[in-house]
Amino acid sequence: RDTTSQKIYEKALRESERMLNATQMLAKVGGWEYHVEKKRTTWTDEVYRIYGLDRESYNPNNINENNSFYAPEDRKTVGRAFYSAVVKGEPYDLESGFVSAEGHHIWVRTTAKPVLENGKVTKVVGNIMDITERKRAEEMLLAERLKLERYFENIPLMAFNFSFNGRIVDCNTNAVNTLGYEDKEALLGKSAISTLYTPGSQKKGKQIFETWKKGKRIKNEELEVINRQGKVIDVLLNVDTVFDQDR
């Protein structure tokens, strides 16, 4: 028997496992497998870290116990998805609340893909990822967006959102009332130049619009707008650009 080749193979295997565990720890992604016939679950080291458990003292073969770490409102969803993967061969990709054994409240993304042989699920392979940082960033972004929307709606001025093709995308209640409309739906999608400005201000309005499209801020430009009843209103126009990260 070639013991030298065996030792080289074992050393390479240990090094491969070490690199895998290091990579998973950096990415905060753990891998797992469930063997259907043997009802046996195996986890990589990072799964144990996410759960806050020790490999030597915790047996991951109890699926119900594993599932109990998910937030109460998400346990049924995760449990049903796992059942469907094992019984029906359906993959899943879920984001859920999670409480580790150490009491840390985090967010995880768990994915699973069934492996079939002759039409029968023999095992399910999956990942679990700690996505807490991403979720917190999303929550902060949402809070800032809501703050901006409240400011937009409550500012005691006419406020509009325009698209780059010059259409009215949104406006606040003060704009609707000042211009004499019943609701904002009557303004949305219309040309800002032809709808808002008097004939005498439309040429200047177009020039301002082209300047704004080049990325320049517009400050205190004097224009005339006309309301639905034909009343002319003198205004100071200020325009800035906000980019929507979702588009």
Side-chain angles (χ1 to χ4, degrees):
R1 186 178 179 181
D2 190 345
T3 57
T4 301
S5 297
Q6 180 68 19
K7 288 180 179 179
I8 292 174
Y9 170 77
E10 291 175 353
K11 182 179 179 181
L13 182 61
R14 287 194 299 271
E15 181 63 16
S16 177
E17 290 177 348
R18 185 192 67 79
M19 291 180 64
L20 174 64
N21 285 325
T23 301
Q24 289 190 344
M25 183 172 65
L26 289 171
K28 296 184 178 180
V29 181
W32 56 267
E33 285 188 359
Y34 176 73
H35 298 264
V36 177
E37 185 176 344
K38 297 179 180 179
K39 292 184 171 54
R40 189 179 74 236
T41 304
T42 55
W43 288 355
T44 63
D45 287 349
E46 185 59 20
V47 180
Y48 285 96
R49 275 190 283 268
I50 290 172
Y51 271 77
L53 296 168
D54 181 68
R55 175 184 284 275
E56 303 302 323
S57 60
Y58 185 78
N59 182 351
N61 290 324
N62 189 329
I63 300 301
N64 289 333
E65 182 68 18
N66 299 342
N67 196 44
S68 70
F69 287 85
Y70 287 90
E73 62 271 20
D74 293 324
R75 286 175 195 161
K76 281 188 178 180
T77 300
V78 175
R80 287 170 180 166
F82 181 78
Y83 174 84
S84 294
V86 173
V87 176
K88 302 177 183 179
E90 297 177 355
Y92 63 85
D93 186 338
L94 300 171
E95 294 184 0
S96 309
F98 192 91
V99 183
S100 73
E102 299 158 333
H104 299 305
H105 290 255
I106 64 174
W107 279 91
V108 298
R109 177 185 178 187
T110 179
T111 63
K113 182 178 181 180
V115 177
L116 285 77
E117 293 182 8
N118 299 320
K120 183 179 179 181
V121 179
T122 57
K123 65 179 178 179
V124 180
V125 296
N127 287 322
I128 183 169
M129 176 190 295
D130 184 341
I131 59 170
T132 308
E133 291 182 7
R134 195 202 84 199
K135 278 290 188 179
R136 287 175 179 168
E138 289 176 352
E139 289 172 356
M140 289 177 63
L141 183 62
L142 177 60
E144 288 300 314
R145 183 186 293 273
L146 292 174
K147 186 189 297 184
L148 181 61
E149 288 176 355
R150 285 194 297 269
Y151 174 79
F152 177 84
E153 177 59 29
N154 295 316
I155 188 172
L157 303 169
M158 288 190 289
F160 294 87
N161 283 335
F162 302 124
S163 67
F164 273 108
N165 64 1
R167 299 288 172 178
I168 300 171
V169 176
D170 196 9
C171 62
N172 66 357
T173 301
N174 192 59
V176 174
N177 294 337
T178 302
L179 294 173
Y181 290 88
E182 293 181 2
D183 55 58
K184 67 170 64 179
E185 300 302 322
L187 289 165
L188 301 187
K190 291 188 175 181
S191 166
I193 300 297
S194 60
T195 303
L196 301 180
Y197 301 124
T198 63
S201 286
Q202 287 183 10
K203 182 178 180 180
K204 183 178 180 181
K206 290 177 181 177
Q207 293 172 342
I208 291 173
F209 181 72
E210 292 302 318
T211 301
W212 167 66
K213 284 204 299 184
K214 295 176 183 178
K216 296 183 180 180
R217 179 179 293 181
I218 308 302
K219 294 186 68 176
N220 295 329
E221 290 285 351
E222 295 184 2
L223 290 165
E224 292 179 340
V225 301
I226 186 167
N227 72 6
R228 194 178 185 184
Q229 291 73 36
K231 179 182 178 181
V232 175
I233 305 170
D234 294 315
V235 299
L236 289 177
L237 179 67
N238 291 272
V239 186
D240 206 345
T241 305
V242 176
F243 293 97
D244 191 339
Q245 294 181 349
D246 296 333
R247 298 179 180 178

